[in-house]
Each structure stands twice: as C-alpha cells, then as structure tokens.
Amino acid sequence: FGRMKPVIVVHGGAGRIFKEREEGSHAGVVRAALQGYSILKRGGSALDAVEEAVQSMEDDPHFNAGCGSVLNEKGEVEMDAIIMDGKNLDSGAVSAVKCIANPIKLARLVMEKTKHMLLTDRGAHLFAQAMGIPETPGEKLITERSRERWKKNLEPDSNPEEFHKDLGTVGAVAIDSEGNVACATSTGGLSNKLIGRVGDTACIGSGGYADNHSGATSTTGHGESIMKVVLARLVLYHMEQGMSPEMAADTALDYMKTRVGGLGGVIVVNNSGEWAARFSTKQMSWATVKDDQLHYGISAGERHTKSVDEALTSESEGF
C-alpha cells in the first residue's frame, strides 16, 4: 500500500471576474491552496485541508462567501455551505445561515456532531449557539461592493441576468496521503435572491460530492441549473465510466449547457490524484498544488506555475 501524493484544488467561483478584481481573486485562491496543502503535507486529512482552504476564502472579501457575500432582496447575507468525506460518504451542510463568519465550520460540525446532514436557517443558528460559535453581526459580513451591487439591482431598469455573471462561490477538493478524498463548497448565493432561496451549494451531489471510490468535486455557477443536472455527482459518474477528470468535467458542463442552458465550473480530483479545473463561463479563478508545484489561472487556457517554496516566499511579501 503506497502512500498517495496529496493534491488540493480550489476555486473562487465561475463567472466574469472584473479586471480590477482579478489580482485579488488570484491571490485569494493561491493563498487558500497553499494553506490547504500545508495541512496535507504534514500528513493531515483531506477533510481538514478543504475546510481550511474554504475558510480562508470565506474570510477574504473578494469572494461571495462568508465576508463579502452578496445580499438577498432585503439586503441581508444568507449563506450556504457543504462539506463531504469520501471515506464513508458522511456530509454536513447548512443553508440560509446569517451572522456567522465561517459557514463551512458549521457544516463540518453538523456532519460530526449531529445525526443529520443539513440544518437550515433558525435551526442552524440554534445549533451554532449550542456549539459555542460566536455570532458575527450581519454588517460585519457586508462589504461596500455587495451593498452597491444590491442597490444597483434594485433599480427598476436593472438586468437580473447581469448579476449571475460574477458569482464567486468558493470550493476545494483534496486527496490526502491515506488516499481519502473530500470536498467543501461555500457561498452567499445570488445577489438580490428571494429570502430563503437555497441554491446548489448546500445540496449533496449538486454543490459537491466526494467518494473514495471515484474522487471529489466542487461546483460553482448558476445554482438552479447545477441542481437540475446534479452536476457534482454527474462529473463523478463520468469518471466511474472511465473518463479522465478533465473529460468528465467538460462532458458534464457541456450537458448542463445544452440541456438547461446553464453555465458553471467544476474542480475535480480523482482517487489516483489526477485533477482538473474546468468551466463553461468566461472565467473561474482556481489554484492547485501537487508535487510541491502550484498551478493557477483565471481565464480559459491560462495556467501559471510556481514551486511552492517560491509561492510561499512571494506570499509573505504580499502577492
């Protein structure tokens, strides 16, 4: 039984990433991937690595998750998150949660401390209190940019389709040295969504799926479309039929586009450590670390490579 080489892949959301935000998106996914990888490198679990990577992006206001989440129709932040363990198919998720800095941590607690898989809204809030998770005032999670966008979208002549362009759901998948896979996904959802709207992120098989028998995947994009095709599970299904991660991702995304007109992105790692980051939107910020090499990109065909040491050096000097 040879030890696996650990791999982590992260995404910072699919859509159109505005020029002035590209650098922040790049830096954010790279930081998240490096943090997750350092856990794997020390022999830590895939589960800890994906949770850490996603938490790092929830704390980064560049992304639509945790701090920086978009606002619902009433101007509040309501967040969804999921985490899944490929070893035994255990999963934990939360939906429509407010006033919590890191929904992914709460999802992990749902998985480990309850017999349930998904807690919502008030129930999730009560559970968070019981677990001693500090409450974060809602305003603390709201950035100037999210508020601006919310106001813009309230204008009578605003085009709601426009705000599906810059989605920013965050996610991570990993395989650890034991060969276990895991996924984690977290989001603030759609700007100006109806109160109580839950998208794909909190739904097992749509926002993410992990199974040691095949691999792990995390998705981003138009939530309602992703749910219609159960995108995360669909990617794994194609891998189970013998496709490579890249081929499986492209095939599933292509099906979502032709069948329901939906665009999105996926990150994948299979159980032998091959990975992919694919998207049908204009862009998706992503980063991966394997064999002490960091790769990252944002537009189709774009791929930068650095050694981890080099990346950590420039990380400490500011990106």
PDB file of all heavy atoms in Angstrom, residues 235-270:
ATOM      1  N   VAL A 235     -20.304  14.567 -12.665  1.00  0.00           N
ATOM      2  CA  VAL A 235     -18.873  14.523 -13.006  1.00  0.00           C
ATOM      3  C   VAL A 235     -18.264  13.201 -12.527  1.00  0.00           C
ATOM      4  O   VAL A 235     -17.543  12.523 -13.265  1.00  0.00           O
ATOM      5  CB  VAL A 235     -18.110  15.714 -12.386  1.00  0.00           C
ATOM      6  CG1 VAL A 235     -16.611  15.573 -12.622  1.00  0.00           C
ATOM      7  CG2 VAL A 235     -18.611  17.042 -12.958  1.00  0.00           C
ATOM      8  N   LEU A 236     -18.578  12.821 -11.284  1.00  0.00           N
ATOM      9  CA  LEU A 236     -18.032  11.568 -10.748  1.00  0.00           C
ATOM     10  C   LEU A 236     -18.562  10.363 -11.519  1.00  0.00           C
ATOM     11  O   LEU A 236     -17.831   9.399 -11.757  1.00  0.00           O
ATOM     12  CB  LEU A 236     -18.361  11.419  -9.262  1.00  0.00           C
ATOM     13  CG  LEU A 236     -17.651  12.383  -8.313  1.00  0.00           C
ATOM     14  CD1 LEU A 236     -17.905  11.979  -6.873  1.00  0.00           C
ATOM     15  CD2 LEU A 236     -16.157  12.444  -8.576  1.00  0.00           C
ATOM     16  N   TYR A 237     -19.814  10.435 -11.911  1.00  0.00           N
ATOM     17  CA  TYR A 237     -20.396   9.349 -12.704  1.00  0.00           C
ATOM     18  C   TYR A 237     -19.577   9.135 -13.982  1.00  0.00           C
ATOM     19  O   TYR A 237     -19.229   8.003 -14.331  1.00  0.00           O
ATOM     20  CB  TYR A 237     -21.857   9.667 -13.050  1.00  0.00           C
ATOM     21  CG  TYR A 237     -22.417   8.789 -14.152  1.00  0.00           C
ATOM     22  CD1 TYR A 237     -22.820   7.483 -13.879  1.00  0.00           C
ATOM     23  CD2 TYR A 237     -22.497   9.258 -15.459  1.00  0.00           C
ATOM     24  CE1 TYR A 237     -23.306   6.668 -14.895  1.00  0.00           C
ATOM     25  CE2 TYR A 237     -22.984   8.445 -16.480  1.00  0.00           C
ATOM     26  CZ  TYR A 237     -23.382   7.146 -16.190  1.00  0.00           C
ATOM     27  OH  TYR A 237     -23.843   6.332 -17.196  1.00  0.00           O
ATOM     28  N   HIS A 238     -19.239  10.204 -14.655  1.00  0.00           N
ATOM     29  CA  HIS A 238     -18.450  10.084 -15.885  1.00  0.00           C
ATOM     30  C   HIS A 238     -17.059   9.503 -15.600  1.00  0.00           C
ATOM     31  O   HIS A 238     -16.521   8.761 -16.409  1.00  0.00           O
ATOM     32  CB  HIS A 238     -18.333  11.439 -16.590  1.00  0.00           C
ATOM     33  CG  HIS A 238     -19.606  11.871 -17.265  1.00  0.00           C
ATOM     34  ND1 HIS A 238     -20.325  11.051 -18.093  1.00  0.00           N
ATOM     35  CD2 HIS A 238     -20.285  13.043 -17.216  1.00  0.00           C
ATOM     36  CE1 HIS A 238     -21.396  11.691 -18.536  1.00  0.00           C
ATOM     37  NE2 HIS A 238     -21.388  12.904 -18.014  1.00  0.00           N
ATOM     38  N   MET A 239     -16.494   9.835 -14.446  1.00  0.00           N
ATOM     39  CA  MET A 239     -15.187   9.249 -14.089  1.00  0.00           C
ATOM     40  C   MET A 239     -15.338   7.752 -13.807  1.00  0.00           C
ATOM     41  O   MET A 239     -14.483   6.964 -14.157  1.00  0.00           O
ATOM     42  CB  MET A 239     -14.562   9.976 -12.904  1.00  0.00           C
ATOM     43  CG  MET A 239     -14.159  11.397 -13.255  1.00  0.00           C
ATOM     44  SD  MET A 239     -12.867  12.091 -12.215  1.00  0.00           S
ATOM     45  CE  MET A 239     -13.543  11.916 -10.586  1.00  0.00           C
ATOM     46  N   GLU A 240     -16.462   7.385 -13.198  1.00  0.00           N
ATOM     47  CA  GLU A 240     -16.720   5.969 -12.935  1.00  0.00           C
ATOM     48  C   GLU A 240     -16.870   5.184 -14.243  1.00  0.00           C
ATOM     49  O   GLU A 240     -16.600   3.992 -14.296  1.00  0.00           O
ATOM     50  CB  GLU A 240     -17.985   5.808 -12.065  1.00  0.00           C
ATOM     51  CG  GLU A 240     -17.752   6.237 -10.622  1.00  0.00           C
ATOM     52  CD  GLU A 240     -19.017   6.656  -9.878  1.00  0.00           C
ATOM     53  OE1 GLU A 240     -20.132   6.533 -10.446  1.00  0.00           O
ATOM     54  OE2 GLU A 240     -18.883   7.114  -8.730  1.00  0.00           O
ATOM     55  N   GLN A 241     -17.277   5.889 -15.299  1.00  0.00           N
ATOM     56  CA  GLN A 241     -17.378   5.258 -16.627  1.00  0.00           C
ATOM     57  C   GLN A 241     -16.028   5.224 -17.339  1.00  0.00           C
ATOM     58  O   GLN A 241     -15.941   4.829 -18.486  1.00  0.00           O
ATOM     59  CB  GLN A 241     -18.386   6.009 -17.507  1.00  0.00           C
ATOM     60  CG  GLN A 241     -19.782   6.131 -16.930  1.00  0.00           C
ATOM     61  CD  GLN A 241     -20.404   4.796 -16.591  1.00  0.00           C
ATOM     62  OE1 GLN A 241     -20.513   3.924 -17.447  1.00  0.00           O
ATOM     63  NE2 GLN A 241     -20.766   4.615 -15.336  1.00  0.00           N
ATOM     64  N   GLY A 242     -14.981   5.704 -16.649  1.00  0.00           N
ATOM     65  CA  GLY A 242     -13.639   5.600 -17.224  1.00  0.00           C
ATOM     66  C   GLY A 242     -13.058   6.883 -17.794  1.00  0.00           C
ATOM     67  O   GLY A 242     -11.962   6.882 -18.350  1.00  0.00           O
ATOM     68  N   MET A 243     -13.769   8.008 -17.659  1.00  0.00           N
ATOM     69  CA  MET A 243     -13.234   9.270 -18.183  1.00  0.00           C
ATOM     70  C   MET A 243     -12.185   9.863 -17.250  1.00  0.00           C
ATOM     71  O   MET A 243     -12.241   9.666 -16.041  1.00  0.00           O
ATOM     72  CB  MET A 243     -14.357  10.299 -18.353  1.00  0.00           C
ATOM     73  CG  MET A 243     -15.265  10.047 -19.522  1.00  0.00           C
ATOM     74  SD  MET A 243     -16.403  11.467 -19.714  1.00  0.00           S
ATOM     75  CE  MET A 243     -17.529  10.796 -20.924  1.00  0.00           C
ATOM     76  N   SER A 244     -11.279  10.629 -17.839  1.00  0.00           N
ATOM     77  CA  SER A 244     -10.313  11.395 -17.038  1.00  0.00           C
ATOM     78  C   SER A 244     -11.072  12.537 -16.349  1.00  0.00           C
ATOM     79  O   SER A 244     -12.151  12.918 -16.800  1.00  0.00           O
ATOM     80  CB  SER A 244      -9.247  12.000 -17.944  1.00  0.00           C
ATOM     81  OG  SER A 244      -9.837  13.022 -18.747  1.00  0.00           O
ATOM     82  N   PRO A 245     -10.485  13.104 -15.269  1.00  0.00           N
ATOM     83  CA  PRO A 245     -11.150  14.233 -14.606  1.00  0.00           C
ATOM     84  C   PRO A 245     -11.519  15.362 -15.570  1.00  0.00           C
ATOM     85  O   PRO A 245     -12.628  15.893 -15.518  1.00  0.00           O
ATOM     86  CB  PRO A 245     -10.119  14.692 -13.576  1.00  0.00           C
ATOM     87  CG  PRO A 245      -9.363  13.459 -13.241  1.00  0.00           C
ATOM     88  CD  PRO A 245      -9.286  12.681 -14.528  1.00  0.00           C
ATOM     89  N   GLU A 246     -10.592  15.689 -16.473  1.00  0.00           N
ATOM     90  CA  GLU A 246     -10.841  16.797 -17.395  1.00  0.00           C
ATOM     91  C   GLU A 246     -11.997  16.490 -18.343  1.00  0.00           C
ATOM     92  O   GLU A 246     -12.905  17.299 -18.539  1.00  0.00           O
ATOM     93  CB  GLU A 246      -9.568  17.096 -18.184  1.00  0.00           C
ATOM     94  CG  GLU A 246      -9.663  18.349 -19.006  1.00  0.00           C
ATOM     95  CD  GLU A 246      -8.285  18.896 -19.382  1.00  0.00           C
ATOM     96  OE1 GLU A 246      -7.467  19.169 -18.480  1.00  0.00           O
ATOM     97  OE2 GLU A 246      -8.039  19.040 -20.591  1.00  0.00           O
ATOM     98  N   MET A 247     -11.961  15.304 -18.894  1.00  0.00           N
ATOM     99  CA  MET A 247     -13.005  14.859 -19.824  1.00  0.00           C
ATOM    100  C   MET A 247     -14.369  14.791 -19.120  1.00  0.00           C
ATOM    101  O   MET A 247     -15.392  15.227 -19.656  1.00  0.00           O
ATOM    102  CB  MET A 247     -12.605  13.472 -20.338  1.00  0.00           C
ATOM    103  CG  MET A 247     -13.490  12.943 -21.420  1.00  0.00           C
ATOM    104  SD  MET A 247     -13.125  13.792 -22.960  1.00  0.00           S
ATOM    105  CE  MET A 247     -14.462  13.161 -23.967  1.00  0.00           C
ATOM    106  N   ALA A 248     -14.372  14.250 -17.908  1.00  0.00           N
ATOM    107  CA  ALA A 248     -15.618  14.114 -17.137  1.00  0.00           C
ATOM    108  C   ALA A 248     -16.213  15.488 -16.837  1.00  0.00           C
ATOM    109  O   ALA A 248     -17.424  15.707 -16.964  1.00  0.00           O
ATOM    110  CB  ALA A 248     -15.342  13.361 -15.837  1.00  0.00           C
ATOM    111  N   ALA A 249     -15.349  16.416 -16.459  1.00  0.00           N
ATOM    112  CA  ALA A 249     -15.798  17.776 -16.135  1.00  0.00           C
ATOM    113  C   ALA A 249     -16.379  18.457 -17.374  1.00  0.00           C
ATOM    114  O   ALA A 249     -17.474  19.034 -17.328  1.00  0.00           O
ATOM    115  CB  ALA A 249     -14.635  18.591 -15.577  1.00  0.00           C
ATOM    116  N   ASP A 250     -15.652  18.368 -18.480  1.00  0.00           N
ATOM    117  CA  ASP A 250     -16.116  19.001 -19.724  1.00  0.00           C
ATOM    118  C   ASP A 250     -17.435  18.396 -20.203  1.00  0.00           C
ATOM    119  O   ASP A 250     -18.329  19.105 -20.661  1.00  0.00           O
ATOM    120  CB  ASP A 250     -15.058  18.863 -20.822  1.00  0.00           C
ATOM    121  CG  ASP A 250     -13.878  19.797 -20.614  1.00  0.00           C
ATOM    122  OD1 ASP A 250     -13.979  20.702 -19.752  1.00  0.00           O
ATOM    123  OD2 ASP A 250     -12.849  19.629 -21.297  1.00  0.00           O
ATOM    124  N   THR A 251     -17.541  17.084 -20.103  1.00  0.00           N
ATOM    125  CA  THR A 251     -18.753  16.389 -20.560  1.00  0.00           C
ATOM    126  C   THR A 251     -19.959  16.813 -19.729  1.00  0.00           C
ATOM    127  O   THR A 251     -21.037  17.098 -20.261  1.00  0.00           O
ATOM    128  CB  THR A 251     -18.557  14.860 -20.478  1.00  0.00           C
ATOM    129  OG1 THR A 251     -17.387  14.503 -21.221  1.00  0.00           O
ATOM    130  CG2 THR A 251     -19.748  14.111 -21.047  1.00  0.00           C
ATOM    131  N   ALA A 252     -19.791  16.879 -18.416  1.00  0.00           N
ATOM    132  CA  ALA A 252     -20.887  17.265 -17.528  1.00  0.00           C
ATOM    133  C   ALA A 252     -21.290  18.732 -17.741  1.00  0.00           C
ATOM    134  O   ALA A 252     -22.472  19.060 -17.789  1.00  0.00           O
ATOM    135  CB  ALA A 252     -20.490  17.021 -16.073  1.00  0.00           C
ATOM    136  N   LEU A 253     -20.280  19.607 -17.881  1.00  0.00           N
ATOM    137  CA  LEU A 253     -20.566  21.033 -18.100  1.00  0.00           C
ATOM    138  C   LEU A 253     -21.261  21.239 -19.442  1.00  0.00           C
ATOM    139  O   LEU A 253     -22.165  22.068 -19.577  1.00  0.00           O
ATOM    140  CB  LEU A 253     -19.277  21.855 -18.048  1.00  0.00           C
ATOM    141  CG  LEU A 253     -18.701  22.093 -16.652  1.00  0.00           C
ATOM    142  CD1 LEU A 253     -17.271  22.630 -16.746  1.00  0.00           C
ATOM    143  CD2 LEU A 253     -19.581  23.060 -15.849  1.00  0.00           C
ATOM    144  N   ASP A 254     -20.842  20.456 -20.431  1.00  0.00           N
ATOM    145  CA  ASP A 254     -21.425  20.552 -21.760  1.00  0.00           C
ATOM    146  C   ASP A 254     -22.892  20.118 -21.731  1.00  0.00           C
ATOM    147  O   ASP A 254     -23.759  20.750 -22.344  1.00  0.00           O
ATOM    148  CB  ASP A 254     -20.623  19.673 -22.724  1.00  0.00           C
ATOM    149  CG  ASP A 254     -20.955  19.996 -24.162  1.00  0.00           C
ATOM    150  OD1 ASP A 254     -20.937  21.202 -24.502  1.00  0.00           O
ATOM    151  OD2 ASP A 254     -21.256  19.065 -24.934  1.00  0.00           O
ATOM    152  N   TYR A 255     -23.155  19.059 -20.972  1.00  0.00           N
ATOM    153  CA  TYR A 255     -24.535  18.579 -20.838  1.00  0.00           C
ATOM    154  C   TYR A 255     -25.401  19.647 -20.169  1.00  0.00           C
ATOM    155  O   TYR A 255     -26.524  19.919 -20.609  1.00  0.00           O
ATOM    156  CB  TYR A 255     -24.560  17.283 -20.014  1.00  0.00           C
ATOM    157  CG  TYR A 255     -25.957  16.786 -19.746  1.00  0.00           C
ATOM    158  CD1 TYR A 255     -26.722  16.221 -20.771  1.00  0.00           C
ATOM    159  CD2 TYR A 255     -26.516  16.880 -18.480  1.00  0.00           C
ATOM    160  CE1 TYR A 255     -28.016  15.773 -20.532  1.00  0.00           C
ATOM    161  CE2 TYR A 255     -27.817  16.432 -18.229  1.00  0.00           C
ATOM    162  CZ  TYR A 255     -28.561  15.882 -19.253  1.00  0.00           C
ATOM    163  OH  TYR A 255     -29.836  15.445 -19.018  1.00  0.00           O
ATOM    164  N   MET A 256     -24.869  20.283 -19.114  1.00  0.00           N
ATOM    165  CA  MET A 256     -25.636  21.316 -18.413  1.00  0.00           C
ATOM    166  C   MET A 256     -25.952  22.482 -19.351  1.00  0.00           C
ATOM    167  O   MET A 256     -27.031  23.061 -19.313  1.00  0.00           O
ATOM    168  CB  MET A 256     -24.863  21.811 -17.182  1.00  0.00           C
ATOM    169  CG  MET A 256     -25.636  22.821 -16.357  1.00  0.00           C
ATOM    170  SD  MET A 256     -24.913  23.132 -14.729  1.00  0.00           S
ATOM    171  CE  MET A 256     -23.622  24.320 -15.143  1.00  0.00           C
ATOM    172  N   LYS A 257     -25.001  22.795 -20.207  1.00  0.00           N
ATOM    173  CA  LYS A 257     -25.189  23.912 -21.139  1.00  0.00           C
ATOM    174  C   LYS A 257     -26.231  23.569 -22.215  1.00  0.00           C
ATOM    175  O   LYS A 257     -27.144  24.356 -22.483  1.00  0.00           O
ATOM    176  CB  LYS A 257     -23.843  24.236 -21.793  1.00  0.00           C
ATOM    177  CG  LYS A 257     -23.804  25.522 -22.582  1.00  0.00           C
ATOM    178  CD  LYS A 257     -22.371  25.787 -23.011  1.00  0.00           C
ATOM    179  CE  LYS A 257     -22.257  26.999 -23.896  1.00  0.00           C
ATOM    180  NZ  LYS A 257     -20.823  27.247 -24.232  1.00  0.00           N
ATOM    181  N   THR A 258     -26.112  22.387 -22.809  1.00  0.00           N
ATOM    182  CA  THR A 258     -27.033  22.045 -23.895  1.00  0.00           C
ATOM    183  C   THR A 258     -28.424  21.700 -23.355  1.00  0.00           C
ATOM    184  O   THR A 258     -29.430  22.048 -23.959  1.00  0.00           O
ATOM    185  CB  THR A 258     -26.512  20.852 -24.728  1.00  0.00           C
ATOM    186  OG1 THR A 258     -26.181  19.785 -23.836  1.00  0.00           O
ATOM    187  CG2 THR A 258     -25.278  21.234 -25.513  1.00  0.00           C
ATOM    188  N   ARG A 259     -28.482  21.049 -22.189  1.00  0.00           N
ATOM    189  CA  ARG A 259     -29.772  20.576 -21.678  1.00  0.00           C
ATOM    190  C   ARG A 259     -30.593  21.682 -21.028  1.00  0.00           C
ATOM    191  O   ARG A 259     -31.810  21.756 -21.222  1.00  0.00           O
ATOM    192  CB  ARG A 259     -29.523  19.436 -20.676  1.00  0.00           C
ATOM    193  CG  ARG A 259     -30.768  18.739 -20.183  1.00  0.00           C
ATOM    194  CD  ARG A 259     -31.388  17.895 -21.293  1.00  0.00           C
ATOM    195  NE  ARG A 259     -32.586  17.194 -20.839  1.00  0.00           N
ATOM    196  CZ  ARG A 259     -33.810  17.709 -20.855  1.00  0.00           C
ATOM    197  NH1 ARG A 259     -34.002  18.948 -21.281  1.00  0.00           N
ATOM    198  NH2 ARG A 259     -34.846  17.012 -20.451  1.00  0.00           N
ATOM    199  N   VAL A 260     -29.950  22.527 -20.218  1.00  0.00           N
ATOM    200  CA  VAL A 260     -30.713  23.553 -19.498  1.00  0.00           C
ATOM    201  C   VAL A 260     -30.162  24.967 -19.680  1.00  0.00           C
ATOM    202  O   VAL A 260     -30.601  25.906 -19.019  1.00  0.00           O
ATOM    203  CB  VAL A 260     -30.823  23.226 -17.975  1.00  0.00           C
ATOM    204  CG1 VAL A 260     -31.584  21.922 -17.779  1.00  0.00           C
ATOM    205  CG2 VAL A 260     -29.458  23.143 -17.309  1.00  0.00           C
ATOM    206  N   GLY A 261     -29.177  25.131 -20.570  1.00  0.00           N
ATOM    207  CA  GLY A 261     -28.639  26.465 -20.853  1.00  0.00           C
ATOM    208  C   GLY A 261     -27.868  27.058 -19.687  1.00  0.00           C
ATOM    209  O   GLY A 261     -27.747  28.281 -19.583  1.00  0.00           O
ATOM    210  N   GLY A 262     -27.350  26.219 -18.815  1.00  0.00           N
ATOM    211  CA  GLY A 262     -26.650  26.712 -17.617  1.00  0.00           C
ATOM    212  C   GLY A 262     -25.140  26.710 -17.757  1.00  0.00           C
ATOM    213  O   GLY A 262     -24.560  25.816 -18.379  1.00  0.00           O
ATOM    214  N   LEU A 263     -24.504  27.733 -17.195  1.00  0.00           N
ATOM    215  CA  LEU A 263     -23.039  27.825 -17.217  1.00  0.00           C
ATOM    216  C   LEU A 263     -22.485  27.653 -15.813  1.00  0.00           C
ATOM    217  O   LEU A 263     -23.139  28.007 -14.829  1.00  0.00           O
ATOM    218  CB  LEU A 263     -22.606  29.189 -17.762  1.00  0.00           C
ATOM    219  CG  LEU A 263     -23.083  29.532 -19.179  1.00  0.00           C
ATOM    220  CD1 LEU A 263     -22.592  30.922 -19.574  1.00  0.00           C
ATOM    221  CD2 LEU A 263     -22.610  28.495 -20.190  1.00  0.00           C
ATOM    222  N   GLY A 264     -21.265  27.145 -15.739  1.00  0.00           N
ATOM    223  CA  GLY A 264     -20.653  26.972 -14.424  1.00  0.00           C
ATOM    224  C   GLY A 264     -19.232  26.468 -14.524  1.00  0.00           C
ATOM    225  O   GLY A 264     -18.612  26.521 -15.587  1.00  0.00           O
ATOM    226  N   GLY A 265     -18.728  25.984 -13.397  1.00  0.00           N
ATOM    227  CA  GLY A 265     -17.379  25.461 -13.347  1.00  0.00           C
ATOM    228  C   GLY A 265     -17.276  24.363 -12.310  1.00  0.00           C
ATOM    229  O   GLY A 265     -18.104  24.283 -11.393  1.00  0.00           O
ATOM    230  N   VAL A 266     -16.274  23.498 -12.481  1.00  0.00           N
ATOM    231  CA  VAL A 266     -16.042  22.423 -11.513  1.00  0.00           C
ATOM    232  C   VAL A 266     -14.554  22.230 -11.278  1.00  0.00           C
ATOM    233  O   VAL A 266     -13.741  22.458 -12.179  1.00  0.00           O
ATOM    234  CB  VAL A 266     -16.630  21.059 -11.975  1.00  0.00           C
ATOM    235  CG1 VAL A 266     -18.130  21.067 -11.936  1.00  0.00           C
ATOM    236  CG2 VAL A 266     -16.141  20.669 -13.355  1.00  0.00           C
ATOM    237  N   ILE A 267     -14.220  21.826 -10.062  1.00  0.00           N
ATOM    238  CA  ILE A 267     -12.871  21.338  -9.790  1.00  0.00           C
ATOM    239  C   ILE A 267     -13.012  19.873  -9.384  1.00  0.00           C
ATOM    240  O   ILE A 267     -14.009  19.494  -8.754  1.00  0.00           O
ATOM    241  CB  ILE A 267     -12.162  22.144  -8.676  1.00  0.00           C
ATOM    242  CG1 ILE A 267     -13.040  22.275  -7.436  1.00  0.00           C
ATOM    243  CG2 ILE A 267     -11.720  23.503  -9.207  1.00  0.00           C
ATOM    244  CD1 ILE A 267     -12.324  22.881  -6.244  1.00  0.00           C
ATOM    245  N   VAL A 268     -12.032  19.081  -9.786  1.00  0.00           N
ATOM    246  CA  VAL A 268     -12.105  17.637  -9.582  1.00  0.00           C
ATOM    247  C   VAL A 268     -10.750  17.077  -9.182  1.00  0.00           C
ATOM    248  O   VAL A 268      -9.718  17.541  -9.673  1.00  0.00           O
ATOM    249  CB  VAL A 268     -12.464  16.903 -10.908  1.00  0.00           C
ATOM    250  CG1 VAL A 268     -12.954  15.497 -10.625  1.00  0.00           C
ATOM    251  CG2 VAL A 268     -13.451  17.669 -11.747  1.00  0.00           C
ATOM    252  N   VAL A 269     -10.775  16.092  -8.309  1.00  0.00           N
ATOM    253  CA  VAL A 269      -9.590  15.265  -8.101  1.00  0.00           C
ATOM    254  C   VAL A 269     -10.097  13.821  -8.109  1.00  0.00           C
ATOM    255  O   VAL A 269     -11.161  13.541  -7.560  1.00  0.00           O
ATOM    256  CB  VAL A 269      -8.849  15.609  -6.775  1.00  0.00           C
ATOM    257  CG1 VAL A 269      -9.696  15.321  -5.546  1.00  0.00           C
ATOM    258  CG2 VAL A 269      -7.518  14.871  -6.693  1.00  0.00           C
ATOM    259  N   ASN A 270      -9.381  12.909  -8.817  1.00  0.00           N
ATOM    260  CA  ASN A 270      -9.841  11.522  -8.768  1.00  0.00           C
ATOM    261  C   ASN A 270      -9.043  10.744  -7.730  1.00  0.00           C
ATOM    262  O   ASN A 270      -8.125  11.292  -7.102  1.00  0.00           O
ATOM    263  CB  ASN A 270      -9.833  10.860 -10.156  1.00  0.00           C
ATOM    264  CG  ASN A 270      -8.422  10.592 -10.681  1.00  0.00           C
ATOM    265  OD1 ASN A 270      -7.430  10.754  -9.960  1.00  0.00           O
ATOM    266  ND2 ASN A 270      -8.336  10.185 -11.927  1.00  0.00           N
TER     267      ASN A 270
END
